[in-house]
Amino acid sequence: MRTAIVVGAGIVGLSTAWHLQERGYEVTVVDGKGVAAGSSWGNAGWLTPGKAIPLAHPSLWLSGPQGLLDPDAALHVPLRFDLNLWSFFARFMAHANNRSWDKTMAGLTPIDKIALEHFDEMVDGGVDSWTREGPFVIGFEEEKQAVGFKHEIAGVVRHGQEVPFERLSDPSELAPVLSERVKSVYRLDGQRFLEPGPFTHALGDAVAARGAKMKFGHNVSAVLQGRQPAVLLKNGEQLRADKLVLATGAWLPKLARQFGVRTRVQAGRGYSFSVATEKPQNYPVYLPHARLACTPYQGRFRIAGTMEFRRPDEPLQPRRIQAIVKQASQLFTGVDLSDRKDEWVGSRPVTPDGLPLVGATRAENIFVAGGHGMWGFVLGPATGKLLAEKIDTGRTNPAIAPFDPLR
């Protein structure tokens, strides 16, 4: 029996484990905390390949300086002496131009196009969860705020995706939570959403039910290369397998750098919480100007937002929650922002060029899967399938060729 160890029990790691099992591998999943303990739990749950686009955009040259000065800005970089952080930010901003945006978008488009079908494959294959069609409601306080969003959608379409997008004459039926300040409203179709934590747990249950060993509660202290690579846990236990996958999100450099993965990965931290609403909100809502991404969640309304470049293990910053509350209080109605539950911060793994890191390292039989930025959930199942193919056959599917972790 061929064996594999997957380090990381988020959507990317578990998807890789599931597809390795499909190919006949006996899998062990290792995580210091457990299933969905990181970004796979509290994100907005958007399955939006039409919005899986480069984060570095020319418009950041206007909004970026605000993020350095205003701790409440949607994009925030704390003013502190941190050479790694500023080195990343300089490289990130170097990609904030039209040429780099198009190059990255060209790299993302092939996997964007196949992303949704891989959720169907998992659900049909025994993952006891669901995904739902939109529409997504996109709102602006005034029409001129929509210019940048329309430009992004046009760029996605130019690269080959179909992204239906039209203005709504009466948005109240689709989005009763929007206040009168939101005057220009559109619907975005062809996308889906889910409840990210429950879906990831259902995937973890399916992987375990197929016979995977789930080793939770012990962090990895070292990775040892060799014909059969190994992980050394902090409790002193050593695990060996034929193949090893590192899928540790924003913590990926800690384990992967020694194997030639030099691309920086920075924690782009997002925040979320859920609230009660007077009227049911059945569809996702996005307010691009305020950077608020919202989704129905277990009978409530999850509000997520911000991009904060900090170290991944730093504590939740209450001020960032209050900044979201301030924006939401003006743009939503019938929403009880005092009844906040599940306040959360998660560290999304961002690369300077906006492309994930998926494939083989310089060490024999050691692979990585990460660096998806805000799009780890929507791209996770497709990443897992294509990486499992690479591990099993040695062939690199063209859809992940731009994600070479040794670039």
PDB file of all heavy atoms in Angstrom, residues 162-192:
ATOM      1  N   GLU A 162     -17.106  33.110 -18.141  1.00  0.00           N
ATOM      2  CA  GLU A 162     -18.434  33.689 -18.284  1.00  0.00           C
ATOM      3  C   GLU A 162     -18.901  34.153 -16.907  1.00  0.00           C
ATOM      4  O   GLU A 162     -19.015  33.347 -15.982  1.00  0.00           O
ATOM      5  CB  GLU A 162     -19.411  32.674 -18.855  1.00  0.00           C
ATOM      6  CG  GLU A 162     -19.114  32.258 -20.297  1.00  0.00           C
ATOM      7  CD  GLU A 162     -20.169  31.330 -20.846  1.00  0.00           C
ATOM      8  OE1 GLU A 162     -21.236  31.182 -20.211  1.00  0.00           O
ATOM      9  OE2 GLU A 162     -19.920  30.738 -21.914  1.00  0.00           O
ATOM     10  N   VAL A 163     -19.157  35.457 -16.784  1.00  0.00           N
ATOM     11  CA  VAL A 163     -19.546  36.018 -15.488  1.00  0.00           C
ATOM     12  C   VAL A 163     -20.765  36.925 -15.708  1.00  0.00           C
ATOM     13  O   VAL A 163     -20.628  38.134 -15.882  1.00  0.00           O
ATOM     14  CB  VAL A 163     -18.391  36.815 -14.843  1.00  0.00           C
ATOM     15  CG1 VAL A 163     -18.740  37.190 -13.402  1.00  0.00           C
ATOM     16  CG2 VAL A 163     -17.090  36.024 -14.870  1.00  0.00           C
ATOM     17  N   PRO A 164     -21.979  36.355 -15.706  1.00  0.00           N
ATOM     18  CA  PRO A 164     -23.180  37.174 -15.912  1.00  0.00           C
ATOM     19  C   PRO A 164     -23.317  38.244 -14.830  1.00  0.00           C
ATOM     20  O   PRO A 164     -23.222  37.959 -13.637  1.00  0.00           O
ATOM     21  CB  PRO A 164     -24.319  36.150 -15.824  1.00  0.00           C
ATOM     22  CG  PRO A 164     -23.670  34.833 -16.138  1.00  0.00           C
ATOM     23  CD  PRO A 164     -22.281  34.921 -15.583  1.00  0.00           C
ATOM     24  N   PHE A 165     -23.559  39.482 -15.265  1.00  0.00           N
ATOM     25  CA  PHE A 165     -23.555  40.623 -14.350  1.00  0.00           C
ATOM     26  C   PHE A 165     -24.536  41.652 -14.888  1.00  0.00           C
ATOM     27  O   PHE A 165     -24.401  42.124 -16.010  1.00  0.00           O
ATOM     28  CB  PHE A 165     -22.135  41.198 -14.279  1.00  0.00           C
ATOM     29  CG  PHE A 165     -21.945  42.324 -13.294  1.00  0.00           C
ATOM     30  CD1 PHE A 165     -22.083  42.094 -11.938  1.00  0.00           C
ATOM     31  CD2 PHE A 165     -21.625  43.598 -13.723  1.00  0.00           C
ATOM     32  CE1 PHE A 165     -21.898  43.130 -11.017  1.00  0.00           C
ATOM     33  CE2 PHE A 165     -21.427  44.634 -12.820  1.00  0.00           C
ATOM     34  CZ  PHE A 165     -21.569  44.394 -11.464  1.00  0.00           C
ATOM     35  N   GLU A 166     -25.577  41.962 -14.099  1.00  0.00           N
ATOM     36  CA  GLU A 166     -26.570  42.925 -14.574  1.00  0.00           C
ATOM     37  C   GLU A 166     -27.123  43.741 -13.417  1.00  0.00           C
ATOM     38  O   GLU A 166     -27.127  43.302 -12.257  1.00  0.00           O
ATOM     39  CB  GLU A 166     -27.706  42.215 -15.302  1.00  0.00           C
ATOM     40  CG  GLU A 166     -28.506  41.256 -14.433  1.00  0.00           C
ATOM     41  CD  GLU A 166     -29.632  40.580 -15.191  1.00  0.00           C
ATOM     42  OE1 GLU A 166     -29.762  40.838 -16.409  1.00  0.00           O
ATOM     43  OE2 GLU A 166     -30.382  39.804 -14.575  1.00  0.00           O
ATOM     44  N   ARG A 167     -27.618  44.928 -13.764  1.00  0.00           N
ATOM     45  CA  ARG A 167     -28.140  45.825 -12.743  1.00  0.00           C
ATOM     46  C   ARG A 167     -29.537  45.406 -12.314  1.00  0.00           C
ATOM     47  O   ARG A 167     -30.331  44.904 -13.112  1.00  0.00           O
ATOM     48  CB  ARG A 167     -28.159  47.262 -13.258  1.00  0.00           C
ATOM     49  CG  ARG A 167     -28.566  48.279 -12.190  1.00  0.00           C
ATOM     50  CD  ARG A 167     -28.032  49.638 -12.452  1.00  0.00           C
ATOM     51  NE  ARG A 167     -28.326  50.529 -11.337  1.00  0.00           N
ATOM     52  CZ  ARG A 167     -27.877  51.764 -11.241  1.00  0.00           C
ATOM     53  NH1 ARG A 167     -27.086  52.248 -12.200  1.00  0.00           N
ATOM     54  NH2 ARG A 167     -28.181  52.516 -10.210  1.00  0.00           N
ATOM     55  N   LEU A 168     -29.842  45.603 -11.032  1.00  0.00           N
ATOM     56  CA  LEU A 168     -31.153  45.306 -10.484  1.00  0.00           C
ATOM     57  C   LEU A 168     -31.967  46.588 -10.367  1.00  0.00           C
ATOM     58  O   LEU A 168     -31.479  47.601  -9.847  1.00  0.00           O
ATOM     59  CB  LEU A 168     -31.024  44.667  -9.106  1.00  0.00           C
ATOM     60  CG  LEU A 168     -30.486  43.232  -9.034  1.00  0.00           C
ATOM     61  CD1 LEU A 168     -30.225  42.852  -7.588  1.00  0.00           C
ATOM     62  CD2 LEU A 168     -31.461  42.259  -9.668  1.00  0.00           C
ATOM     63  N   SER A 169     -33.204  46.531 -10.812  1.00  0.00           N
ATOM     64  CA  SER A 169     -34.072  47.703 -10.660  1.00  0.00           C
ATOM     65  C   SER A 169     -34.678  47.749  -9.263  1.00  0.00           C
ATOM     66  O   SER A 169     -34.918  48.819  -8.712  1.00  0.00           O
ATOM     67  CB  SER A 169     -35.179  47.675 -11.712  1.00  0.00           C
ATOM     68  OG  SER A 169     -35.926  46.463 -11.633  1.00  0.00           O
ATOM     69  N   ASP A 170     -34.929  46.569  -8.675  1.00  0.00           N
ATOM     70  CA  ASP A 170     -35.490  46.497  -7.323  1.00  0.00           C
ATOM     71  C   ASP A 170     -34.724  45.432  -6.535  1.00  0.00           C
ATOM     72  O   ASP A 170     -35.061  44.251  -6.598  1.00  0.00           O
ATOM     73  CB  ASP A 170     -36.978  46.158  -7.381  1.00  0.00           C
ATOM     74  CG  ASP A 170     -37.602  46.077  -5.988  1.00  0.00           C
ATOM     75  OD1 ASP A 170     -36.943  46.519  -5.022  1.00  0.00           O
ATOM     76  OD2 ASP A 170     -38.737  45.563  -5.872  1.00  0.00           O
ATOM     77  N   PRO A 171     -33.711  45.825  -5.787  1.00  0.00           N
ATOM     78  CA  PRO A 171     -32.884  44.839  -5.080  1.00  0.00           C
ATOM     79  C   PRO A 171     -33.497  44.320  -3.788  1.00  0.00           C
ATOM     80  O   PRO A 171     -32.956  43.399  -3.175  1.00  0.00           O
ATOM     81  CB  PRO A 171     -31.610  45.622  -4.773  1.00  0.00           C
ATOM     82  CG  PRO A 171     -32.054  47.038  -4.674  1.00  0.00           C
ATOM     83  CD  PRO A 171     -33.179  47.188  -5.663  1.00  0.00           C
ATOM     84  N   SER A 172     -34.637  44.867  -3.349  1.00  0.00           N
ATOM     85  CA  SER A 172     -35.148  44.529  -2.017  1.00  0.00           C
ATOM     86  C   SER A 172     -35.511  43.055  -1.886  1.00  0.00           C
ATOM     87  O   SER A 172     -35.391  42.478  -0.799  1.00  0.00           O
ATOM     88  CB  SER A 172     -36.365  45.394  -1.684  1.00  0.00           C
ATOM     89  OG  SER A 172     -37.393  45.189  -2.642  1.00  0.00           O
ATOM     90  N   GLU A 173     -35.962  42.426  -2.979  1.00  0.00           N
ATOM     91  CA  GLU A 173     -36.337  41.023  -2.904  1.00  0.00           C
ATOM     92  C   GLU A 173     -35.124  40.130  -2.663  1.00  0.00           C
ATOM     93  O   GLU A 173     -35.180  39.170  -1.894  1.00  0.00           O
ATOM     94  CB  GLU A 173     -37.037  40.595  -4.189  1.00  0.00           C
ATOM     95  CG  GLU A 173     -37.491  39.144  -4.162  1.00  0.00           C
ATOM     96  CD  GLU A 173     -38.231  38.734  -5.418  1.00  0.00           C
ATOM     97  OE1 GLU A 173     -38.527  39.622  -6.243  1.00  0.00           O
ATOM     98  OE2 GLU A 173     -38.509  37.536  -5.568  1.00  0.00           O
ATOM     99  N   LEU A 174     -34.008  40.444  -3.307  1.00  0.00           N
ATOM    100  CA  LEU A 174     -32.795  39.645  -3.166  1.00  0.00           C
ATOM    101  C   LEU A 174     -31.963  40.062  -1.962  1.00  0.00           C
ATOM    102  O   LEU A 174     -31.224  39.246  -1.419  1.00  0.00           O
ATOM    103  CB  LEU A 174     -31.939  39.758  -4.432  1.00  0.00           C
ATOM    104  CG  LEU A 174     -32.518  39.164  -5.722  1.00  0.00           C
ATOM    105  CD1 LEU A 174     -31.541  39.355  -6.873  1.00  0.00           C
ATOM    106  CD2 LEU A 174     -32.847  37.691  -5.534  1.00  0.00           C
ATOM    107  N   ALA A 175     -32.064  41.319  -1.549  1.00  0.00           N
ATOM    108  CA  ALA A 175     -31.196  41.816  -0.475  1.00  0.00           C
ATOM    109  C   ALA A 175     -31.953  42.785   0.427  1.00  0.00           C
ATOM    110  O   ALA A 175     -31.715  44.003   0.396  1.00  0.00           O
ATOM    111  CB  ALA A 175     -29.961  42.492  -1.056  1.00  0.00           C
ATOM    112  N   PRO A 176     -32.871  42.257   1.265  1.00  0.00           N
ATOM    113  CA  PRO A 176     -33.604  43.149   2.173  1.00  0.00           C
ATOM    114  C   PRO A 176     -32.720  43.795   3.231  1.00  0.00           C
ATOM    115  O   PRO A 176     -33.153  44.737   3.899  1.00  0.00           O
ATOM    116  CB  PRO A 176     -34.638  42.212   2.808  1.00  0.00           C
ATOM    117  CG  PRO A 176     -34.063  40.837   2.678  1.00  0.00           C
ATOM    118  CD  PRO A 176     -33.304  40.856   1.393  1.00  0.00           C
ATOM    119  N   VAL A 177     -31.476  43.321   3.386  1.00  0.00           N
ATOM    120  CA  VAL A 177     -30.594  43.892   4.414  1.00  0.00           C
ATOM    121  C   VAL A 177     -29.946  45.203   3.967  1.00  0.00           C
ATOM    122  O   VAL A 177     -29.358  45.905   4.798  1.00  0.00           O
ATOM    123  CB  VAL A 177     -29.479  42.907   4.816  1.00  0.00           C
ATOM    124  CG1 VAL A 177     -30.055  41.674   5.481  1.00  0.00           C
ATOM    125  CG2 VAL A 177     -28.607  42.552   3.630  1.00  0.00           C
ATOM    126  N   LEU A 178     -30.035  45.549   2.697  1.00  0.00           N
ATOM    127  CA  LEU A 178     -29.350  46.749   2.229  1.00  0.00           C
ATOM    128  C   LEU A 178     -30.107  48.007   2.644  1.00  0.00           C
ATOM    129  O   LEU A 178     -31.328  48.109   2.485  1.00  0.00           O
ATOM    130  CB  LEU A 178     -29.198  46.722   0.712  1.00  0.00           C
ATOM    131  CG  LEU A 178     -28.216  45.702   0.142  1.00  0.00           C
ATOM    132  CD1 LEU A 178     -28.203  45.763  -1.378  1.00  0.00           C
ATOM    133  CD2 LEU A 178     -26.810  45.941   0.686  1.00  0.00           C
ATOM    134  N   SER A 179     -29.370  48.978   3.140  1.00  0.00           N
ATOM    135  CA  SER A 179     -29.982  50.246   3.531  1.00  0.00           C
ATOM    136  C   SER A 179     -30.208  51.128   2.302  1.00  0.00           C
ATOM    137  O   SER A 179     -29.733  50.836   1.196  1.00  0.00           O
ATOM    138  CB  SER A 179     -29.093  50.977   4.536  1.00  0.00           C
ATOM    139  OG  SER A 179     -27.973  51.562   3.890  1.00  0.00           O
ATOM    140  N   GLU A 180     -30.924  52.234   2.517  1.00  0.00           N
ATOM    141  CA  GLU A 180     -31.216  53.156   1.417  1.00  0.00           C
ATOM    142  C   GLU A 180     -29.961  53.843   0.887  1.00  0.00           C
ATOM    143  O   GLU A 180     -29.976  54.411  -0.203  1.00  0.00           O
ATOM    144  CB  GLU A 180     -32.235  54.192   1.875  1.00  0.00           C
ATOM    145  CG  GLU A 180     -33.613  53.608   2.161  1.00  0.00           C
ATOM    146  CD  GLU A 180     -34.616  54.671   2.561  1.00  0.00           C
ATOM    147  OE1 GLU A 180     -34.199  55.843   2.736  1.00  0.00           O
ATOM    148  OE2 GLU A 180     -35.813  54.326   2.712  1.00  0.00           O
ATOM    149  N   ARG A 181     -28.877  53.785   1.647  1.00  0.00           N
ATOM    150  CA  ARG A 181     -27.629  54.398   1.168  1.00  0.00           C
ATOM    151  C   ARG A 181     -27.032  53.640  -0.003  1.00  0.00           C
ATOM    152  O   ARG A 181     -26.234  54.189  -0.763  1.00  0.00           O
ATOM    153  CB  ARG A 181     -26.604  54.465   2.312  1.00  0.00           C
ATOM    154  CG  ARG A 181     -26.958  55.460   3.387  1.00  0.00           C
ATOM    155  CD  ARG A 181     -25.822  55.644   4.371  1.00  0.00           C
ATOM    156  NE  ARG A 181     -24.590  56.102   3.743  1.00  0.00           N
ATOM    157  CZ  ARG A 181     -23.558  56.616   4.409  1.00  0.00           C
ATOM    158  NH1 ARG A 181     -23.628  56.732   5.726  1.00  0.00           N
ATOM    159  NH2 ARG A 181     -22.476  56.996   3.777  1.00  0.00           N
ATOM    160  N   VAL A 182     -27.391  52.377  -0.137  1.00  0.00           N
ATOM    161  CA  VAL A 182     -26.864  51.553  -1.224  1.00  0.00           C
ATOM    162  C   VAL A 182     -27.816  51.711  -2.411  1.00  0.00           C
ATOM    163  O   VAL A 182     -28.845  51.041  -2.511  1.00  0.00           O
ATOM    164  CB  VAL A 182     -26.739  50.080  -0.804  1.00  0.00           C
ATOM    165  CG1 VAL A 182     -26.084  49.259  -1.918  1.00  0.00           C
ATOM    166  CG2 VAL A 182     -25.927  49.960   0.475  1.00  0.00           C
ATOM    167  N   LYS A 183     -27.474  52.603  -3.315  1.00  0.00           N
ATOM    168  CA  LYS A 183     -28.393  53.017  -4.370  1.00  0.00           C
ATOM    169  C   LYS A 183     -28.158  52.313  -5.704  1.00  0.00           C
ATOM    170  O   LYS A 183     -29.050  52.249  -6.548  1.00  0.00           O
ATOM    171  CB  LYS A 183     -28.285  54.529  -4.582  1.00  0.00           C
ATOM    172  CG  LYS A 183     -28.678  55.369  -3.374  1.00  0.00           C
ATOM    173  CD  LYS A 183     -28.571  56.845  -3.690  1.00  0.00           C
ATOM    174  CE  LYS A 183     -29.113  57.694  -2.534  1.00  0.00           C
ATOM    175  NZ  LYS A 183     -28.315  57.530  -1.307  1.00  0.00           N
ATOM    176  N   SER A 184     -26.965  51.775  -5.918  1.00  0.00           N
ATOM    177  CA  SER A 184     -26.636  51.137  -7.192  1.00  0.00           C
ATOM    178  C   SER A 184     -26.341  49.661  -6.911  1.00  0.00           C
ATOM    179  O   SER A 184     -25.343  49.335  -6.263  1.00  0.00           O
ATOM    180  CB  SER A 184     -25.418  51.826  -7.825  1.00  0.00           C
ATOM    181  OG  SER A 184     -25.128  51.284  -9.090  1.00  0.00           O
ATOM    182  N   VAL A 185     -27.223  48.771  -7.389  1.00  0.00           N
ATOM    183  CA  VAL A 185     -27.145  47.359  -7.001  1.00  0.00           C
ATOM    184  C   VAL A 185     -27.186  46.467  -8.246  1.00  0.00           C
ATOM    185  O   VAL A 185     -27.984  46.694  -9.159  1.00  0.00           O
ATOM    186  CB  VAL A 185     -28.294  46.986  -6.040  1.00  0.00           C
ATOM    187  CG1 VAL A 185     -28.142  45.540  -5.572  1.00  0.00           C
ATOM    188  CG2 VAL A 185     -28.307  47.929  -4.830  1.00  0.00           C
ATOM    189  N   TYR A 186     -26.336  45.442  -8.243  1.00  0.00           N
ATOM    190  CA  TYR A 186     -26.229  44.503  -9.357  1.00  0.00           C
ATOM    191  C   TYR A 186     -26.380  43.079  -8.836  1.00  0.00           C
ATOM    192  O   TYR A 186     -26.287  42.824  -7.635  1.00  0.00           O
ATOM    193  CB  TYR A 186     -24.860  44.641 -10.032  1.00  0.00           C
ATOM    194  CG  TYR A 186     -24.649  45.955 -10.742  1.00  0.00           C
ATOM    195  CD1 TYR A 186     -24.318  47.106 -10.025  1.00  0.00           C
ATOM    196  CD2 TYR A 186     -24.755  46.049 -12.126  1.00  0.00           C
ATOM    197  CE1 TYR A 186     -24.119  48.312 -10.677  1.00  0.00           C
ATOM    198  CE2 TYR A 186     -24.550  47.245 -12.785  1.00  0.00           C
ATOM    199  CZ  TYR A 186     -24.238  48.379 -12.053  1.00  0.00           C
ATOM    200  OH  TYR A 186     -24.036  49.563 -12.701  1.00  0.00           O
ATOM    201  N   ARG A 187     -26.580  42.145  -9.769  1.00  0.00           N
ATOM    202  CA  ARG A 187     -26.538  40.725  -9.441  1.00  0.00           C
ATOM    203  C   ARG A 187     -25.443  40.059 -10.268  1.00  0.00           C
ATOM    204  O   ARG A 187     -25.261  40.357 -11.451  1.00  0.00           O
ATOM    205  CB  ARG A 187     -27.877  40.041  -9.662  1.00  0.00           C
ATOM    206  CG  ARG A 187     -28.383  40.007 -11.087  1.00  0.00           C
ATOM    207  CD  ARG A 187     -29.728  39.277 -11.172  1.00  0.00           C
ATOM    208  NE  ARG A 187     -29.566  37.838 -10.993  1.00  0.00           N
ATOM    209  CZ  ARG A 187     -30.579  37.007 -10.735  1.00  0.00           C
ATOM    210  NH1 ARG A 187     -31.810  37.476 -10.578  1.00  0.00           N
ATOM    211  NH2 ARG A 187     -30.368  35.702 -10.610  1.00  0.00           N
ATOM    212  N   LEU A 188     -24.710  39.196  -9.598  1.00  0.00           N
ATOM    213  CA  LEU A 188     -23.637  38.425 -10.214  1.00  0.00           C
ATOM    214  C   LEU A 188     -24.050  36.964 -10.190  1.00  0.00           C
ATOM    215  O   LEU A 188     -24.333  36.413  -9.124  1.00  0.00           O
ATOM    216  CB  LEU A 188     -22.337  38.632  -9.422  1.00  0.00           C
ATOM    217  CG  LEU A 188     -21.077  37.921  -9.904  1.00  0.00           C
ATOM    218  CD1 LEU A 188     -20.559  38.563 -11.181  1.00  0.00           C
ATOM    219  CD2 LEU A 188     -19.996  37.985  -8.826  1.00  0.00           C
ATOM    220  N   ASP A 189     -24.079  36.331 -11.353  1.00  0.00           N
ATOM    221  CA  ASP A 189     -24.540  34.951 -11.432  1.00  0.00           C
ATOM    222  C   ASP A 189     -23.397  34.018 -11.825  1.00  0.00           C
ATOM    223  O   ASP A 189     -22.274  34.451 -12.083  1.00  0.00           O
ATOM    224  CB  ASP A 189     -25.686  34.848 -12.443  1.00  0.00           C
ATOM    225  CG  ASP A 189     -26.977  35.449 -11.912  1.00  0.00           C
ATOM    226  OD1 ASP A 189     -27.567  34.865 -10.996  1.00  0.00           O
ATOM    227  OD2 ASP A 189     -27.368  36.531 -12.402  1.00  0.00           O
ATOM    228  N   GLY A 190     -23.721  32.709 -11.846  1.00  0.00           N
ATOM    229  CA  GLY A 190     -22.722  31.711 -12.201  1.00  0.00           C
ATOM    230  C   GLY A 190     -21.782  31.339 -11.077  1.00  0.00           C
ATOM    231  O   GLY A 190     -20.778  30.655 -11.294  1.00  0.00           O
ATOM    232  N   GLN A 191     -22.097  31.773  -9.851  1.00  0.00           N
ATOM    233  CA  GLN A 191     -21.245  31.523  -8.693  1.00  0.00           C
ATOM    234  C   GLN A 191     -22.064  30.770  -7.638  1.00  0.00           C
ATOM    235  O   GLN A 191     -23.285  30.695  -7.711  1.00  0.00           O
ATOM    236  CB  GLN A 191     -20.709  32.828  -8.096  1.00  0.00           C
ATOM    237  CG  GLN A 191     -20.311  33.891  -9.127  1.00  0.00           C
ATOM    238  CD  GLN A 191     -19.164  33.487 -10.016  1.00  0.00           C
ATOM    239  OE1 GLN A 191     -18.115  33.081  -9.533  1.00  0.00           O
ATOM    240  NE2 GLN A 191     -19.343  33.612 -11.339  1.00  0.00           N
ATOM    241  N   ARG A 192     -21.377  30.247  -6.620  1.00  0.00           N
ATOM    242  CA  ARG A 192     -22.056  29.524  -5.549  1.00  0.00           C
ATOM    243  C   ARG A 192     -21.551  29.975  -4.183  1.00  0.00           C
ATOM    244  O   ARG A 192     -20.568  30.715  -4.076  1.00  0.00           O
ATOM    245  CB  ARG A 192     -21.827  28.010  -5.686  1.00  0.00           C
ATOM    246  CG  ARG A 192     -22.255  27.402  -7.003  1.00  0.00           C
ATOM    247  CD  ARG A 192     -22.116  25.898  -6.928  1.00  0.00           C
ATOM    248  NE  ARG A 192     -22.002  25.263  -8.226  1.00  0.00           N
ATOM    249  CZ  ARG A 192     -21.769  23.977  -8.402  1.00  0.00           C
ATOM    250  NH1 ARG A 192     -21.600  23.178  -7.348  1.00  0.00           N
ATOM    251  NH2 ARG A 192     -21.673  23.470  -9.620  1.00  0.00           N
TER     252      ARG A 192
END
